[in-house]
Structures are given as structure tokens and as C-alpha cells.
Amino acid sequence: MQTRREMLTRSATVVGLLAAAGLLPQTAQAAWSQAAFEAKSVADAVKALGGAAPVESRDVTITGPDIAENGAVVPVGCATALPGVKRLLLLVEKNPSALAAVFDITDAVEANVNTRVKMGQSSNVVAVAMMSDGKVLFAQKEIKVTLGGCGG
Amino acid sequence: MKTFVVGMAAMLGALGIARAQGKSVVEGIAEYRKMLEDGNPADLFEAKGESLWKTPRGPKNATLEQCDLGKGQGVVKGAFVELPRYFADTKKVQDLETRLVTCMETLQGFNGADIAKTPFGRGEQANVTALATWIAAESRGMRFSLPQGRVEEKKSYEIGKRVFFYRAGPYDFSCATCHGQDGKRIRLQDLPMLTKNPGDGIGFAAWPAYRVSNGEMWSMQLRLNDCFRQQRLPYPNFGSEATIALGTYMGVNAKGAESIAPSIRR
Amino acid sequence: MADPMRIRAQVAGDKATVRVLMSHEMETGQRKDVAGKTIPAWFIQEVTAALNGKTVMTAQWGPSVAKNPFLQFTIKGAKAGDKIAISWLDNRGDKRTDEAAIT
Amino acid sequence: MKKPIRIVIAAGAVVAIIAGCATQQAPSSQDFDREAQAVMKASFRDQGIAKVDRLDQDLGQAACSSNKPPSDAVAERIMVEARASVKWPAGGQYFGDWREGEKLAQDGRGMTWTDSSAATSANGGSCYNCHQISKAEISFGTIGPSLYNYGKNRGVTDLGAPAAQGVIEYTWMKIYNGKTSNACSNMPRFGHAGVLDQKQMTDLMALLLDPKSPVNQ
């Protein structure tokens, strides 16, 4: 996707270069894909990010517990050994907005990220890999939640 | 907080099954808890606490580095596993948090009574929690050994024991109702048996702890405060003698238990 | 100002595993306070990771990332002493950058 | 404190003092008892519906406030007084709706300082906190005994049968005031303390005893 704003203040040179090239968004918020984060379904979120219809693939792995004691904090991870990964996505199917996180992968990092998400209820959690050849691959796992993490 | 029990029950009820993907629920939850241990957000509070200790603050613009936590001025390592203990300057048995407030008052010029009145998680009270988190972390892996050599320390234990067994309120609960027997649980929560050493990193040896359920750092004073809330008793004042005595009782009982504080709890 | 992050970066072979904890409410905008008023959304939207000043990964987050977020990833070709910097920017425009040396 | 401190409390001493029975006991222990009372009073304040008068103990609470059980005589007195306190359901209507009973059993709310009302309608029964009840609920506590198949195990097949009457009355007493059968029962006295009203208790009765309740499947 488009070049993202460089947030390190000491990288002023880089920022200057980006601005000169007309690649720097007007505001930081402009770089945030609002439509994708407002999408209600996994497919809509991927579409909003410019991806094709996702295809289930064994080459993508989703990690997480089978059961989460508390939906407020659910450890999840997304990985693939395939070359040419552009982006990794983590989504929670039954959350009010499905998309939780988007990671733009470079050659300098492995296509393997872990974070923690909130889950309102038991749901499929989906890991998506958007590839440089345009393919969109996904893996999913059901995580049961004993206590919802989005309420009071 | 109050929706916790209801919510948890409703969700588990909705699952309607005793096993999730081949593992028992208990095994599944143990796996979940294990996953959270690497990357305990208590680390954030620990870092904040260390910085608060070393940064000049308050009306006197002083650091806390001269604070005596019981092992001499400025000695932090090992202090946590010997508290509560008697302090000659205040002529009181103090727990970690009340001792910190004393130091914030004497060294930094804060008003201790104001801090005590501040709700948990706010203002200087949040700083006390962060400081306690760091100080506890500095004794991680050490074993509890509260001094009981002084009359005041023995008295604190005896009072604490009586507070522990004190039954009152609309539900007739005491601390002992839930924590006086081995191997019991509330819903799926294991209850530490606190009238003896409950084991390494269990009960008194696990707090302060990061609470996953609300994303808050809970000190021992707040842990006890919420126990009394759930006992349906009135509100224990911050640093009250009853809460400190309970700390002495649990801490002395935990003699030899390894401290894992700050831990992560559901 | 936001509290500092905790960054741990450890080398194993020619890779470094980076673990980051950030201090942030990550308020969803869907909860109500005791008075029944909606608590406004407040969450980290963008995260950048840089190795010795060069961006190696960026991320966009929504409000369903958990409070006090945790992030783990692996950098290739990193060695002890290299500097890893993490920055975040939230929907209010607050930001924070912290740096740590890989050990 | 000049006297040597006795760490070990003489058995029954605490209870005897509180119960007002003059017996010989270690003076230091008495001092601690008195002091602990004073410490409790000085350490708490009112918050919301939870006022400091909740610290006042009745006989049953005071006598069960140590690691030693009360004497047989005191225990007997507590149980006799508890039985006398029980109010029986109006018109002998012991049974409500087990579905409502299940909801109450699941509901752990009530009577804390974060609850806005102490009215019975704001309270649950907290039953699953301590008991297994219906088989479907896997998240149950173990402080109390399992109540799964409570009615079935006691041979209750017809709520109107004379043979069931004894179990029905016992169960009502247990919910109303558990001290009727165990002086230091861990269970809240739901009826006696005004935590649950008569209707709510009949719903719990149905949950436990109705042959149609999931508890008895």
C-alpha cells in the first residue's frame, strides 16, 4: 500500500523526502484505513483494504488459546512462511468491527506477529496474509470466551 | 466488576460443553494463562514505579531514594518479602503502601492523609501502586520472611488473624469463608488457602498483580479492598489497621513462599 | 503524557525477537460510564517499528486491540547493540516513541 | 503489652468470651479479641449501601468468627434460634419457576457497596459461586456440596406427595437460614438477612426440587 507516515521525529530527512515526493498524507489519521476498521465482516474489511476475496490456506497459521478466560485480553498471532507477504491482518469475526490489526511487512521482518485482542464473545479469529501477487490467503480458529471483553 | 460473575456464567453456560477442542476447560484456561505470562503489562507499572522512585517530586522536590522500607535507607531489594513490619519512626506496623506514603510525606512533602483519601488508580494513589509494583519486583524470586520479633509485630499478626475470621454483614462472610479450606474454588477460580503457606507465588506472594479483567494494576490494599467489597462489608480505609494486620497475618503464614509479584491475574 | 513503553529485544542467531508493551487505554468507544454516557473511543491507530532508524514494520490498529497493548515480532539480520525504536500514534494525536538496544 | 504473648489461642476462648460465658482463658488472647473488635470498628467507613453497622455481629456471626467451632451448647442455641426465625411461604406455596431459579442461581450480584440498591430485586442467589447445580453449567464453585440431582437423589418425584414434605421443609429452612442445621454454615441466610424474598426463594426451591428442573435430569 501507499507509503506510510514516518513517525520517528529524528527521521526528518526521510519525512522531507516523502513530502517532496508527495507521498506524505496530510494528517496522521489519513493513513488509518477507516473504512476497513468500520467493516462488519472479514470479507468487507479485506475488500476495504483493496484485497481480493480471501481463500483458506494451510500456509497461513493463526495462533491463540482454545479458550480465553477473559475476552478483554486474548493472545493471538498470525504467521506464514510464504515469500512475498505484503500485509498480515488479524480479525475477530463476531466483534462489532471485525478488523483488529493490520501489519505492513517488509523484508526486514518475518511474517509472524503476535498481539492481544478483545473479544466480545466466542468467535472465529481470522489471520489473513495479503501477498504481493494479489492473492489473499486466510486461516481461522475458533476461540471460546468465558467472559466478554467489550462490556462493562 | 459486578457483571463479572453473571457474564462469565452466561458465557460458559452458552458454551454448554465441558471440553473445548479436545482439552478440558481447566487445561484450556491454564494454557491461556500461560500465554499471557510472557508480556505481563505489570512491567509498564514496574518501569513507572522505578522512575517515580528516582525522580525528584513533591513540594520538597526530592526523590524517594532515602526511603527506609525496613532494611535501611534506600534498600529496596528484599524489602517487599519482609513487609508489613514495625517502624520505629512512625511507631507503627506498616505495609509497603502505607510505608511509601510515609516516605512521600517525610521526604517529598506530600500530604499523606490526602493520598490515603484518593481513590485507587488516581493521582498520587496510582503512583503509590506503581512504586509498590516496582519494589515488589525487586524482590521477585525471594522468599517471604516477615519479622515477628517485636511485640507490635506479633500483635499485628494476632489482630490480623481475628480480622481474617471476622464474620459479619448480610452474607455472613469472613475471609475464612473462601480462604479457610484447601482446594476450593468460586466458579472456576481457585481459592488460595491463606491460614498457612499456600505455596510459591500463590495468594500473598502474587500481589501486586495486573488484572486482566479490567486492565488495572492492583496493589495488596486494593486486593483486600475488593475482598471486603465482595464480603459485603463496608469500605476499609486505605492503610487501615485491619488491612495491615491482615497483611501481617497472610505474610507471616506465607513464610518461605517465593514471591512472583508483580503477577498477572484474571 | 503517556507512560513509557517496555521494549525487550533479544537476539537468537541472526534474528531478534522484539516484545513491546505499550501503556494505553485502548478505549473502544462502545462502553458507557456509570452515568450512562458513552466513553469516547481512544486507541492507538498506528505503530511503527524501526531498526537503527530504518522502518521495518508499520501497523494500523483498531479499538479491539487489548488495553495496554502487547506486540511481538521478529527482525531479520539484527545483532546485539542494534537500536530498535517503536512509535505509536493514537486517534487523539498523542504519540510516543521509545527506543531500546537489542541484547 | 507487657505480658508474654500467647500465639496459640486456648481452644474455644474466643467463642466463650463473645458468647458471654465466663470461663478461664489466656488474658492476652482476650486482649487481642477486644482490640480486634476496636480495630474493625476503626478501619471501615460507610460506602453506598454498605454502612459500618454491617460490622455488628449477631450471636451466630460472633460465635463462628474463629478457627475453632463454638461449644455444643452455643451451637445448639444458634440452631434453635435460627429455626424459630424461619418464615414459611404463604399458603404453603413452596414452588415457583425453576427457570427463574436458574437465573437467580447464576446471578452473583447484590449487597456490595457498588450495588445501588439493597432491595431483593437487585440481588441474585450467587448459588453457582459455591455449588454445582445444573449439569450444563460448567463454571461452578466447590465451597458448598454439589446440588446436581438434588431432588432426584432425595427421591422427590412428586412435589405434592406427603413423602416429599420433609425434604421440602428442610430445603426451605436451609435457604432461608442455613444456621438451622449447621451453626457455622458458610451459606448466607438468604431469607433471614433479607437478601432474597419469598418469591425468589420459591424459584430456587423449584430449581432444586422440581422433577422437571434440569437439576433433576
Side-chain angles (χ1 to χ4, degrees):
Chain A
M1 97 116 171
Q2 62 273 41
T3 308
R4 301 182 47 77
R5 174 174 147 158
E6 174 58 69
M7 285 189 291
L8 295 176
T9 44
R10 57 196 166 76
S11 302
T13 341
V14 179
V15 175
L17 286 172
L18 292 174
L23 291 169
L24 190 67
Q26 289 301 306
T27 65
Q29 277 76 8
W32 189 68
S33 310
Q34 183 155 358
F37 282 101
E38 284 176 355
K40 299 294 168 213
S41 71
V42 174
D44 287 353
V46 172
K47 202 168 148 190
L49 290 167
V55 178
E56 190 151 10
S57 166
R58 282 186 181 177
D59 293 321
V60 177
T61 53
I62 171 98
T63 51
D66 295 341
I67 185 164
E69 189 173 17
N70 198 305
V73 184
V74 184
V76 289
C78 173
T80 179
L82 293 175
V85 180
K86 229 168 60 172
R87 292 184 140 177
L88 293 176
L89 276 50
L90 279 165
L91 305 100
V92 182
E93 204 173 76
K94 289 191 182 164
N95 273 4
S97 300
L99 183 61
V102 179
F103 299 90
D104 289 342
I105 303 300
T106 68
D107 290 341
V109 294
E110 294 192 341
N112 182 352
V113 292
N114 287 279
T115 185
R116 293 167 183 170
V117 297
K118 301 182 190 113
M119 291 179 65
Q121 56 183 304
S122 296
S123 169
N124 275 327
V125 177
V126 184
V128 174
M130 296 174 73
M131 313 301 290
S132 49
D133 64 2
K135 283 192 187 129
V136 178
L137 309 171
F138 79 94
Q140 60 183 355
K141 173 187 174 70
E142 190 190 14
I143 298 180
K144 294 180 189 303
V145 170
T146 59
L147 171 63
C150 295
Chain B
M1 280 304 292
K2 74 177 174 187
T3 52
F4 167 68
V5 172
V6 191
M8 176 161 175
M11 292 308 301
L12 273 176
L15 301 184
I17 49 140
R19 300 183 78 78
Q21 298 175 10
K23 297 188 194 85
S24 75
V25 167
V26 172
E27 284 163 355
I29 285 177
E31 179 191 63
Y32 165 81
R33 290 179 185 166
K34 189 86 194 142
M35 285 181 178
L36 289 182
E37 277 172 15
D38 187 22
N40 179 357
D43 279 6
L44 294 165
F45 298 85
E46 194 184 316
K48 186 181 169 189
E50 181 175 10
S51 149
L52 283 164
W53 181 262
K54 296 171 178 172
T55 306
R57 292 185 342 109
K60 294 185 185 173
N61 196 37
T63 75
L64 287 168
E65 288 163 309
Q66 294 305 306
C67 177
D68 180 359
L69 296 169
K71 295 181 77 70
Q73 282 192 346
V75 180
V76 173
K77 195 171 172 59
F80 177 67
V81 291
E82 296 181 14
L83 286 167
R85 71 188 303 155
Y86 179 77
F87 289 88
D89 55 353
T90 54
K91 298 189 174 58
K92 275 182 195 160
V93 173
Q94 295 185 290
D95 66 357
L96 174 55
E97 290 159 78
T98 50
R99 187 61 191 171
L100 281 167
V101 171
T102 296
C103 288
M104 289 166 77
E105 194 164 52
T106 55
L107 298 173
Q108 299 183 310
F110 285 106
N111 182 322
D114 284 351
I115 297 175
K117 273 184 279 184
T118 306
F120 290 105
R122 307 245 185 95
E124 288 302 324
Q125 187 64 259
N127 289 339
V128 172
T129 300
L131 282 160
T133 303
W134 175 64
I135 289 159
E138 288 292 292
S139 294
R140 198 185 270 125
M142 297 177 75
R143 296 187 180 277
F144 277 94
S145 181
L146 269 63
Q148 280 281 285
R150 294 194 59 102
V151 168
E152 295 86 349
E153 289 163 347
K154 289 182 182 129
K155 181 179 133 186
S156 184
Y157 179 88
E158 288 298 323
I159 301 289
K161 183 180 190 176
R162 284 156 179 77
V163 173
F164 187 85
F165 285 97
Y166 194 99
R167 293 187 73 167
Y171 283 21
D172 297 335
F173 287 162
S174 68
C175 306
T177 307
C178 289
H179 298 285
Q181 300 172 78
D182 271 313
K184 299 291 180 186
R185 59 178 214 227
I186 286 184
R187 290 282 185 164
L188 289 175
Q189 290 300 312
D190 294 324
L191 296 163
M193 158 81 160
L194 298 174
T195 61
K196 58 171 194 182
N197 179 353
D200 292 347
I202 299 173
F204 195 71
W207 298 83
Y210 183 78
R211 287 285 300 246
V212 168
S213 47
N214 50 19
E216 290 171 2
M217 193 70 217
W218 276 28
S219 64
M220 181 48 74
Q221 280 285 331
L222 177 50
R223 171 64 279 182
L224 292 178
N225 178 282
D226 200 60
C227 282
F228 281 120
R229 186 184 69 87
Q230 295 187 66
Q231 272 181 60
R232 276 75 183 176
L233 289 192
Y235 193 98
N237 296 312
F238 174 85
S240 60
E241 193 176 345
T243 57
I244 292 171
L246 264 180
T248 306
Y249 178 67
M250 292 187 292
V252 169
N253 289 345
K255 185 177 175 64
E258 182 186 331
S259 174
I260 61 160
S263 69
I264 185 163
R265 287 287 181 267
R266 66 110 184 113
Chain C
M1 200 186 72
D3 287 327
M5 288 177 239
R6 284 286 247 187
I7 303 170
R8 288 179 294 154
Q10 281 173 312
V11 167
D14 60 346
K15 297 171 193 167
T17 300
V18 182
R19 294 179 181 83
V20 187
L21 279 163
M22 308 173 194
S23 184
H24 205 283
E25 286 297 317
M26 299 302 286
E27 191 61 56
T28 59
Q30 308 208 358
R31 299 196 312 153
K32 291 187 179 6
D33 64 15
V34 275
K37 241 182 71 188
T38 300
I39 305 169
W42 179 31
F43 58 96
I44 293 174
Q45 288 189 319
E46 303 185 23
V47 180
T48 303
L51 179 70
N52 298 325
K54 180 176 175 289
T55 298
V56 292
M57 187 175 75
T58 55
Q60 298 177 54
W61 285 358
S64 55
V65 169
K67 180 174 177 177
N68 294 323
F70 173 74
L71 170 65
Q72 181 183 320
F73 61 98
T74 304
I75 301 181
K76 300 180 203 165
K79 57 188 185 305
D82 284 354
K83 294 275 191 297
I84 175 84
I86 307 290
S87 303
W88 57 251
L89 175 68
D90 72 19
N91 66 322
R92 292 182 182 174
D94 290 342
K95 57 188 163 193
R96 165 123 211 148
T97 298
D98 288 279
E99 194 176 70
I102 295 176
T103 56
Chain D
M1 212 61 53
K2 299 270 161 36
K3 293 177 194 120
I5 309 298
R6 295 262 314 256
I7 305 281
V8 180
I9 305 167
V14 181
V15 164
I17 297 152
I18 298 165
C21 310
T23 53
Q24 69 280 20
Q25 59 273 133
S28 59
S29 183
Q30 270 188 65
D31 290 344
F32 289 140
D33 291 340
R34 268 195 301 273
E35 188 132 5
Q37 292 281 338
V39 164
M40 286 301 287
K41 297 275 185 272
S43 293
F44 291 80
R45 63 168 168 79
D46 292 349
Q47 175 86 358
I49 60 170
K51 311 290 188 203
V52 289
D53 63 9
R54 288 190 180 185
L55 296 172
D56 299 340
Q57 295 176 307
D58 65 16
L59 172 67
Q61 291 171 328
C64 299
S65 285
S66 86
N67 53 350
K68 299 287 189 300
S71 69
D72 288 351
V74 171
E76 186 59 30
R77 192 180 139 202
I78 292 167
M79 288 190 283
V80 167
E81 286 180 10
R83 284 180 211 124
S85 80
V86 174
K87 290 195 180 64
W88 300 94
Q93 291 296 315
Y94 282 100
F95 298 100
D97 182 348
W98 62 260
R99 291 168 199 83
E100 292 302 312
E102 171 68 16
K103 283 185 211 160
L104 280 168
Q106 291 282 2
D107 188 347
R109 282 176 302 179
M111 306 301 267
T112 72
W113 70 62
T114 46
D115 292 303
S116 53
S117 163
T120 54
S121 59
N123 301 332
S126 309
C127 311
Y128 280 103
N129 282 1
C130 298
H131 297 281
Q132 180 181 33
I133 310 177
S134 68
K135 198 76 176 175
E137 179 53 87
I138 54 167
S139 174
F140 58 84
T142 58
I143 294 173
S146 171
L147 302 176
Y148 178 60
N149 277 350
Y150 181 87
K152 194 177 178 183
N153 288 345
R154 287 161 182 76
V156 179
T157 50
D158 174 5
L159 296 176
Q165 202 57 27
V167 174
I168 292 170
E169 286 174 13
Y170 168 83
T171 307
W172 179 266
M173 283 204 297
K174 190 82 193 167
I175 296 171
Y176 192 94
N177 185 343
K179 288 181 180 291
T180 49
S181 52
N182 174 359
C184 291
S185 167
N186 280 328
M187 195 163 110
R189 293 170 284 179
F190 291 102
H192 181 80
V195 175
L196 298 179
D197 60 29
Q198 197 164 301
K199 159 75 171 65
Q200 290 168 316
M201 287 186 281
T202 61
D203 291 336
L204 290 177
M205 289 288 286
L207 178 67
L208 293 176
L209 289 163
D210 192 324
K212 293 188 293 296
S213 161
V215 167
N216 297 313
Q217 303 311 311

